[in-house]
Every structure is written in structure tokens, then in C-alpha cells.
Amino acid sequence: MRLATFIGGVHPYEGKELSKDKPVKVVLPKGELVYPMSQHIGAPAKPVVAVGDRVLAGEIIGEAQGFVSANIVASVSGTVKAIEKRLVVSGNKEVVIVVENDNNYETIPTFGQKRDYTKLSKEEIRSIVKEAGIVGMGGAGFPTHVKITPKDDSKIEYIIVNGAECEPYLTSDYRMMMEEPEKIVKGLKVELALFENAEGIIAIEDNKPEAIKKLQDLVSTEDRMQVKILKTKYPQGAERQLIYASTGRKINSSMLPSDAGCIVSNVDTVISIYMAVCESTPLIRRIVTVTGDAIKNPCNMNVKTGTNYRELVEEAGGFVTKPEKIVSGGPMMGIALFSLDIPVTKTSSALLCITKDEVAKQEPTACIRCGRCVQACPSKLVPQKLLEQAENFNDEGFVKMNGMECYECGCCTFVCPAKRRLTQAFKQTRRSILDNRKK
């Protein structure tokens, strides 16, 4: 059987064997909880509590500002200790709310109440998703209530659940597909209730046969759902590649998935929709893979948002040896950290700790014009030519060569025999262009 896929891409070492068979374990925080007001694309949330206030789990402590924004919800009960600027995963200092955990985990009165989504209107479902503070949990952090509110509901033909999890080492989505597949199907049903003309597709790479089987069995009696098996290849889970592999439709950087009649949601996002709509539980937890050869016991954890990364390492048995590199996320698109005193946010998917930083030891040399980066690029760009524009600070030339179509997947850097810092240069140039456009 020919599997669905896209042109380009790479096959990095997967590393998933370290944690894929480790069931998710609930880990409660030991210290204070830190909630950044920017855990999503769009305007930061605004604190609606004051120092000294007592808050409950499930209570909104940061209110969305504007249409593209998301609420921040307390994951524990306790006292607001501070509202100040602290270091976050991006390396910047941003406004955070610090809550001293009272370890009682007292919740708001409505927390956990069962609801029948079939008796709710579309507006009520979207309002619940917004109140719950749900965002895209595949890494982008786009507010979900915005995503499920397109201009015209009738033009949405596909709701795609992203179960590819193509980033090396990450297994949190896989564990959810293995342990809570019913919630994925139920969450997809909630989304399909918003779009009468849509079909549900659960897209999974073929390196996850057990998960494929579980979900195929669950949707076998569902008229509007199917499981789509994709070829294992990075970056199969990228939105553009996933849409193309699942439906044959194409989008570019100037389009939204809804422009192609599609809505894409990560596995954990779909579960979060179900939890919010059907069980009155806002987004206050994150499934995180803690892995790498520097970790004593690689595992998957269910942790409260706001938990310190250092506590996750301790729960995983600590370090076998001091890691040379620590990454929030995976090796291809994650963010390297210089401190573990960083809070878990809605978009935290993994903590990768590796003993040797091979990339840092490799000195770039001159381009040998081998063309491997062109073959690997899923956006069909010419990376070596884009690098010339970036290194010469030629923003106009970068744009003319379709540089804004790059979404920094890292494929070009991965295959480059000259070890050129392609992705890093593109990231800096794109940020500069976007900042100038905002001005």
C-alpha cells in the first residue's frame, strides 16, 4: 500500500524507543507555579488577580486580550505570590503570575461537571473552548477558539487530527493515542458538531501501528471519521504537509488551513476540547516527554501548567551525566535552554537532555552546491540562495525568493554536509521582516 506523504523531508534518528512504552504518570508540583501571560500566538493575556489573592484550580487568572489571544487558568489552588517579569522558554523575560501552591488542589465549583455537547449550540461550544484557554498544543500555540471560528462553517470539509508526531524523541501524543483514544474520538465529534459538511481524519504515521489499530477500531462504526496512515518522514506533522498528505490540498504562508476547507488540531488539543466541553475542565495540564541519553529514566508525565522544568528532571531520576544540551521540545524545532528554571506552558511538549551537542562542535564550511537542501526542503525553496540573501541582510531579496514560505523545520540544516547554519539565519531574517512589517 502506498502511504500518503509529501515531497521532500528527511529521516532523522527517531529516539522514540527511549520513552514510547512508558505510560503517562501524573506528577504533582512541589514548588511554586509560574504562569506566563504569553503562552500562545497573539496578544498576551492580562492578569486579573492581585498579589495576595487566593485562587482555585480552574480559575481564570489571565484574561485574553483581543480576538487572537487566550485565557490563562490556574492549575492549582493557592495564593498569588507575585506578578512580575521572569525568564520563559523563549529566553525573554515576560510578565508572569506566581502562585504559591497550597497542595489542596481546591477547584472552582463547576470544575469536572459533565455536559452533553449535543445539547449545546455552536456558539456555546466555541465560548467554552475560549474560556478554557485552549491553544494548539503541537507547538504553535494558536488559540483554538479562533481556529474553530472560520468565516463560513459550511466551507470546512475536513477536520484533521494531527497524530503524526514526527519530531524525534517526542512520544507524548503517542501515549495519549494509546491510553486515551476514546477522548480523541469524542473530541473530534465535538469539532464535527460545528461543521456539518466536514469529515474527520485522524492522521498517524506508520511507525505507530498499535495506535493506528486502536483508533481504527474506535472509528470503524463512525460514518464521518477515518484513520489516514501516513509515511513516517519529518516534517510530516507540519500543517501544510499534513493537509497535503491527508487531502491533496495545498496552502502557503499567506493562507490559513480554513482557506483550503481544513481545520487541523493536535491530538492533545482535541483531548483538551473534549475535556473542556464535556467535562468542564479547562486547560491546566500538559503531557510532557522527558527524554534523551542524559536522563536516567526517560518517561512521559502529566504535569500541571506552571510546573518548573527542574522538577521534571528530578522526577525522571535526574541526569546520568551532565548534559551538553537541553532542549524544550525536540531536536529539530525545539528551543535550546541555558536554565531549567523555566515553567511548563501549554505548548511544552518535551524536555530533551543529551550528553553530546554534536551541532555546536561542527564548524560550518563553504557551500559545495550539492543541492541536498533543495531536495529536502518541504516548501520547495532553494536554501543556499536564501542564505546568501540572509547573510547580506537583503530582506527584499529574501522575500522575492519566497523566503517567508520557510517555516524553520530544520531539514536543510540537517542534511547540509557543509554544516551551514541555514535554519538559524532564516529564522533571524524572517523575524526581522515580520517586525518591520508590524512597524
Side-chain angles (χ1 to χ4, degrees):
M1 180 178 67
R2 186 174 182 180
L3 300 176
T5 190
F6 60 95
I7 297 172
V10 295
H11 295 273
Y13 164 63
E14 291 186 10
K16 295 180 185 289
E17 72 279 357
L18 295 174
S19 58
K20 76 180 184 68
D21 295 323
K22 304 292 181 65
V24 175
K25 58 179 178 179
V26 176
V27 177
L28 295 178
K30 299 172 183 176
E32 63 186 19
L33 285 296
V34 177
Y35 304 95
M37 293 295 98
S38 290
Q39 298 187 35
H40 50 267
I41 288 176
K46 178 183 178 182
V48 290
V49 292
V51 174
D53 287 353
R54 184 167 188 270
V55 298
L56 303 177
E59 179 178 341
I60 295 173
I61 57 175
E63 196 171 69
Q65 297 298 294
F67 183 57
V68 183
S69 187
N71 290 335
I72 307 297
V73 182
S75 58
V76 300
S77 56
T79 304
V80 178
K81 187 176 176 182
I83 299 176
E84 59 192 18
K85 287 193 173 184
R86 287 199 185 183
L87 191 70
V88 295
V89 71
S90 66
N92 300 321
K93 283 193 172 183
E94 297 180 0
V95 174
V96 303
I97 295 174
V98 184
V99 174
E100 186 175 351
N101 185 9
D102 63 13
N103 296 304
N104 292 325
Y105 299 100
E106 187 179 350
T107 62
I108 58 175
T110 57
F111 192 94
Q113 290 182 0
K114 303 293 183 182
R115 271 193 293 233
D116 183 352
Y117 77 92
T118 64
K119 296 180 180 178
L120 299 173
S121 68
K122 292 183 180 183
E123 291 72 22
E124 287 173 321
I125 290 174
R126 288 175 171 131
S127 177
I128 290 168
V129 170
K130 180 179 180 180
E131 286 293 301
I134 301 172
V135 303
M137 295 164 75
F142 193 84
T144 301
H145 70 276
V146 180
K147 184 178 286 190
I148 61 174
T149 312
K151 294 178 181 178
D152 187 347
D153 292 353
S154 66
K155 292 185 178 180
I156 301 301
E157 298 177 74
Y158 296 102
I159 306 297
I160 305 172
V161 179
N162 186 352
E165 198 170 42
C166 62
E167 181 81 28
Y169 289 95
L170 274 61
T171 57
S172 54
D173 284 349
Y174 173 72
R175 289 314 311 173
M176 287 293 94
M177 288 188 280
M178 291 297 293
E179 298 177 37
E180 299 188 345
E182 298 84 2
K183 290 183 179 179
I184 297 171
V185 173
K186 291 175 182 177
L188 180 52
K189 283 184 177 181
V190 174
E191 284 198 83
L192 288 171
L194 299 172
F195 307 101
E196 295 86 351
N197 299 329
E199 174 188 353
I201 297 176
I202 304 175
I204 311 174
E205 286 190 325
D206 67 339
N207 63 349
K208 306 172 181 67
E210 295 89 350
I212 290 171
K213 179 66 167 60
K214 277 181 177 285
L215 284 157
Q216 281 180 330
D217 289 345
L218 283 173
V219 305
S220 61
T221 58
E222 300 290 340
D223 294 335
R224 298 174 63 195
M225 293 186 197
Q226 64 163 304
V227 173
K228 188 87 170 183
I229 305 174
L230 310 178
K231 184 177 179 180
T232 299
K233 182 168 60 169
Y234 177 86
Q236 189 75 260
E239 207 166 52
R240 297 181 207 172
Q241 276 57 55
L242 191 73
I243 289 172
Y244 178 75
S246 300
T247 70
R249 300 182 179 188
K250 299 178 181 180
I251 63 169
N252 56 42
S253 63
S254 65
M255 299 170 64
L256 293 172
S258 57
D259 294 329
C262 301
I263 288 178
V264 181
S265 299
N266 167 266
V267 160
D268 211 10
T269 306
V270 175
I271 291 175
S272 297
I273 290 172
Y274 163 76
M275 294 295 292
V277 175
C278 301
E279 298 193 2
S280 304
T281 304
L283 180 50
I284 60 173
R285 68 98 179 100
R286 182 71 229 223
I287 310 300
V288 181
T289 301
V290 181
T291 188
D293 61 354
I295 290 291
K296 187 173 182 180
N297 301 309
C299 56
N300 300 286
M301 303 178 187
N302 179 329
V303 300
K304 304 289 186 185
T305 52
T307 303
N308 191 282
Y309 271 177
R310 195 175 299 280
E311 294 182 26
L312 307 190
V313 173
E314 292 173 1
E315 186 65 32
F319 297 130
V320 175
T321 184
K322 185 177 180 181
E324 282 191 359
K325 191 168 190 177
I326 299 175
V327 179
S328 177
M332 299 298 286
M333 293 190 75
I335 300 174
L337 302 177
F338 56 85
S339 171
L340 278 172
D341 290 320
I342 301 290
V344 171
T345 65
K346 301 174 187 180
T347 57
S348 300
S349 58
L351 185 63
L352 173 62
C353 306
I354 49 182
T355 55
K356 293 182 180 180
D357 184 2
E358 300 294 343
V359 176
K361 296 176 182 177
Q362 296 170 340
E363 286 297 323
T365 59
C367 175
I368 62 173
R369 298 293 192 269
C370 65
R372 293 182 188 176
C373 58
V374 178
Q375 293 177 331
C377 180
S379 295
K380 301 179 183 178
L381 304 176
V382 185
Q384 74 263 35
K385 290 295 183 182
L386 285 175
L387 184 62
E388 293 175 8
Q389 307 304 316
E391 289 179 334
N392 290 313
F393 303 101
N394 186 355
D395 290 358
E396 184 178 348
F398 186 86
V399 171
K400 283 184 178 179
M401 294 191 68
N402 295 318
M404 298 310 286
E405 293 301 314
C406 169
Y407 53 86
E408 304 159 19
C409 68
C411 287
C412 54
T413 302
F414 177 78
V415 300
C416 180
K419 308 306 175 188
R420 307 284 284 172
R421 304 289 193 257
L422 296 153
T423 308
Q424 182 178 346
F426 301 159
K427 184 178 292 189
Q428 292 170 343
T429 302
R430 292 179 75 251
R431 295 293 182 278
S432 173
I433 292 169
L434 291 172
D435 287 345
N436 288 332
R437 286 178 179 176
K438 288 179 182 177
K439 291 176 184 178

